[in-house]
């Protein structure tokens, strides 16, 4: 996974529960990477899954309309 960001980065702020931040910090430490790198990887993978699910849902709706 672990793609390095290319181009300009945009700052987004989110509030995380302490438990999620602790898990994020731990995995970043174990992998020897920054929390920012881990967050970008997770967002990238999450968006990929959501996009795939949206395409599938659209196909299913189109098939149901026939």
């Amino acid at each position: 996974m672990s793609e390095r960001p290319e181009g300009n980065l945009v700052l987004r702020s989110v509030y995380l529960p302490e438990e999620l931040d602790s898990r994020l910090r731990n995995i970043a430490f174990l992998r020897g990477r920054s929390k920012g790198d881990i967050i970008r990887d997770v967002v990238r993978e999450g968006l990929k899954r959501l996009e795939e699910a949206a395409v599938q849902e659209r196909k299913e709706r189109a098939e149901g309309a026939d």
Side-chain angles (χ1 to χ4, degrees):
M1 190 165 21
S2 175
E3 298 174 20
R4 298 303 288 174
E6 296 180 13
N8 296 330
L9 297 179
V10 177
L11 175 63
R12 295 289 176 237
S13 297
V14 297
Y15 289 96
L16 297 177
E18 288 181 16
E19 183 263 341
L20 288 180
D21 186 61
S22 177
R23 290 170 62 192
L24 175 61
R25 186 175 46 252
N26 288 338
I27 196 71
F29 176 78
L30 291 171
R31 292 186 171 219
R33 301 182 57 224
S34 72
K35 290 192 296 183
D37 283 344
I38 302 299
I39 290 169
R40 282 185 287 275
D41 286 347
V42 169
V43 169
R44 191 178 291 112
E45 284 299 311
L47 287 174
K48 180 180 173 185
R49 288 181 187 179
L50 288 171
E51 289 165 345
E52 290 169 353
V55 168
Q56 184 61 35
E57 290 169 7
R58 181 172 237 159
K59 284 180 184 177
E60 290 171 2
R61 281 196 304 268
E63 290 171 359
D66 292 337

